[in-house]
Structure formats: structure tokens, C-alpha cells
Amino acid sequence: MEEDFRFIEKLRNDEIITIEDEVYPRWKALRKNYDDRLSKVVFMRFVFSPAYRDPVTFITHMFLYGSFFHLLSSMIFLWLVGCMLEIGRGKLGFCSIYIIGGLLSVIVF
């Protein structure tokens, strides 16, 4: 549900749970509590999510990892492939490929 941008937008604009609903005050308080807690989670502030579009996350998502194994496997792949790319394209070329690849992953997502 959190990845459905249209649903979240309607939910925030009170189009799904309306002011006329008897559960609205309780839901609004719970939603505020949920949003407050979510904003304190470091991972959620920097990960890209279509429902919470923040331009900063277009870049920051490239440096987040889901687990130690994910980080380790990424570093091994970056070491093996990155060395060859850096030799072939240079430091600026490698950095450009890395950043452009990360931005393209957000667009495709």
C-alpha cells in the first residue's frame, strides 16, 4: 500500500477516509503518529519510494543496503567490475556511470 502513490495521495487528501466517517478523528491521530515514527527511521528518510517523492532520495538510495550480505556482495562486485570500468573510463567516467546508473534505476522503478 505504501508504494501506491495514487492511493497514498487520496488517503492524505481525505478522499478515502473522509471527515464524515465516524472513525476519522481516531484514524487521523493514528496516521499522524505513524508518519512521525516513519520520519524518524533513517532508512525511510533516504530510500526512494514513489509514495513519498523527495528529490534527495534520487541520489541517497544508491548508498543504502538492506543487509550486511547485500553490502558485502555489492562491494565485491564494485571491486571486480568497478576497477575495470575505472581503468577504461577514468575516475570521472566511472563516477558518471555510477550516478547515471543509479538515477536510471529510480526512473525504471
Side-chain angles (χ1 to χ4, degrees):
M1 208 172 1
E2 285 291 332
E3 294 179 10
D4 187 350
F5 176 71
R6 289 185 194 105
F7 175 78
I8 294 296
E9 200 62 32
K10 285 183 179 184
L11 194 59
R12 286 187 179 154
N13 293 333
D14 299 332
E15 295 175 26
I16 294 176
I17 300 175
T18 62
I19 296 173
E20 292 83 27
D21 292 332
E22 63 183 53
V23 296
Y24 181 79
R26 173 134 170 83
W27 174 82
K28 200 65 166 176
L30 289 172
R31 183 63 197 198
K32 182 180 179 337
N33 185 11
Y34 174 77
D35 287 336
D36 289 344
R37 287 180 183 215
L38 196 62
S39 70
K40 292 177 184 171
V41 177
V42 173
F43 183 81
M44 291 305 294
R45 286 194 317 225
F46 298 108
V47 71
F48 175 77
S49 175
Y52 302 98
R53 295 180 187 169
D54 184 4
V56 172
T57 62
F58 280 64
I59 299 292
T60 59
H61 84 280
M62 291 184 269
F63 305 103
L64 296 176
Y65 297 93
S67 66
F68 177 73
F69 181 72
H70 182 209
L71 174 64
L72 182 65
S73 61
S74 293
M75 292 300 107
I76 291 170
F77 182 80
L78 192 58
W79 176 55
L80 294 173
V81 176
C83 286
M84 293 300 182
L85 273 174
E86 188 176 354
I87 290 169
R89 295 288 178 195
K91 291 181 191 227
L92 184 60
F94 172 72
C95 187
S96 298
I97 290 170
Y98 187 84
I99 299 296
I100 290 169
L103 293 173
L104 287 175
S105 72
V106 167
I107 292 168
V108 169
F109 177 71

